[in-house]
């Protein structure tokens, strides 16, 4: 799964990288501890133009009567996304990219303490998670919401967690966004083993209130 991530790329650099028009109300960056229900940067295609715009991380199906009207859906499993009532229309019609500089996962030691790891791209370019989105409105509240698509982890990543976000290569962005016709389903798989690296970080990131660049600093041995 993916329950926390970081984004450090400036907004103008993201707009250029994704060839997208940026909205005026994007969240502040850098943010080293992006948590569920936060507003996150997303890229979607609308009327032939890519848009860089904020969405609430935490997918709200249209039948939820309140934002807490059901489970918090921050991830959508690639294996079942086309069958789940909450996600099946979105994966056909409303796909997006979710930029990230890296994400966190946890293992446990012999005393059951949570040990955080920071997973980041091997190269300099940021990650682009496969995402889906959904508009939700109820009694004066309105949100554009999203979830990160996940798949079984493969290779070295599997030693940390059994699942990981679907990470899309730049050459696959257009297909995922629906700009190149069909075939997006073929992209929902683990990235090549050498696409990411990881290292231990300080347990302070276990708190969703933690902030600052030191959260992604390698833990001193």
């Amino acid at each position: 799964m993916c329950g926390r991530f970081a984004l450090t790329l400036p907004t103008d650099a993201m707009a250029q990288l994704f060839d997208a028009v940026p909205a005026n109300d994007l969240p502040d960056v850098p943010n080293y501890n992006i948590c569920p229900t936060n507003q996150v940067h997303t890229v979607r295609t609308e009327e032939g133009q890519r848009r860089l715009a904020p969405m609430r991380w935490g997918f709200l199906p249209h039948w939820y009567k309140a934002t807490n009207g059901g489970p918090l859906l921050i991830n959508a499993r690639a294996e079942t996304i086309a069958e789940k009532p909450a996600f099946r229309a979105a994966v056909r019609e409303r796909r997006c990219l979710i930029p990230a500089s890296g994400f966190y996962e946890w293992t446990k030691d012999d005393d059951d303490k949570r040990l955080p790891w920071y997973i980041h791209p091997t190269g300099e370019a940021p990650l682009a998670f496969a995402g889906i989105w959904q508009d939700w409105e109820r009694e004066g509240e309105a949100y554009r919401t999203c979830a990160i698509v996940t798949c079984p982890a493969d290779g070295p990543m599997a030693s940390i967690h059994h699942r990981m976000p679907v990470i899309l290569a730049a050459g696959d962005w257009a297909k995922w966004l629906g700009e190149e016709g069909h075939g997006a389903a073929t992209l929902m798989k683990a990235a090549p083993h050498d696409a990411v690296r990881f290292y231990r970080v300080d347990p302070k990131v276990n708190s969703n209130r933690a902030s600052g660049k030191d959260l992604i600093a390698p833990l001193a041995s």
Side-chain angles (χ1 to χ4, degrees):
M1 63 175 294
C2 179
R4 216 91 67 73
F5 65 97
L7 181 60
T8 64
L9 198 65
T11 295
D12 56 350
M14 271 187 280
Q16 182 175 4
L17 176 66
F18 292 101
D19 191 23
V21 176
N24 295 323
D25 55 348
L26 287 160
D28 292 336
V29 283
N31 187 342
Y32 297 93
N33 194 7
I34 298 171
C35 303
T37 74
N38 286 172
Q39 292 287 304
V40 300
H41 291 71
T42 67
V43 178
R44 74 181 193 281
T45 299
E46 181 181 280
E47 297 179 350
Q49 175 66 62
R50 290 184 185 176
R51 310 283 181 181
L52 178 64
M55 295 188 194
R56 176 190 186 269
W57 184 23
F59 191 96
L60 294 175
H62 65 83
W63 60 80
Y64 277 22
K65 295 182 179 180
T67 56
N68 60 354
L72 182 59
L73 304 176
I74 61 171
N75 296 154
R77 296 172 68 96
E79 305 95 307
T80 57
I81 194 171
E83 305 163 6
K84 294 289 186 181
F87 303 136
R88 61 192 178 197
V91 75
R92 289 195 307 267
E93 304 165 7
R94 297 183 298 278
R95 298 188 296 272
C96 63
L97 306 175
I98 301 175
S101 299
F103 62 100
Y104 300 96
E105 287 294 357
W106 283 261
T107 55
K108 290 186 177 181
D109 64 12
D110 293 338
D111 297 321
D112 212 33
K113 292 181 180 178
R114 299 180 75 218
L115 309 176
W117 297 76
Y118 184 63
I119 300 97
H120 63 97
T122 301
E124 296 183 359
L127 303 171
F129 299 152
I132 55 173
W133 63 274
Q134 169 76 50
D135 283 334
W136 180 89
E137 185 173 0
R138 187 81 62 173
E139 296 180 357
E141 282 190 290
Y143 296 98
R144 180 156 285 175
T145 70
C146 65
I148 295 170
V149 181
T150 67
C151 62
D154 196 7
M157 259 299 300
S159 65
I160 297 178
H161 199 275
H162 66 285
R163 298 195 67 79
M164 66 183 295
V166 171
I167 298 169
L168 299 172
D172 293 327
W173 295 348
K175 181 175 288 187
W176 182 255
L177 292 173
E179 298 168 358
E180 294 184 350
H182 302 292
T186 64
L187 305 177
M188 292 190 288
K189 58 187 178 183
H193 296 174
D194 59 355
V196 295
R197 297 178 180 176
F198 47 85
Y199 53 80
R200 281 280 314 281
V201 292
D202 194 285
K204 68 178 69 175
V205 78
N206 291 355
S207 169
N208 59 13
R209 297 182 179 180
S211 63
K213 187 176 181 178
D214 58 334
L215 296 182
I216 65 170
L219 187 65
S221 55

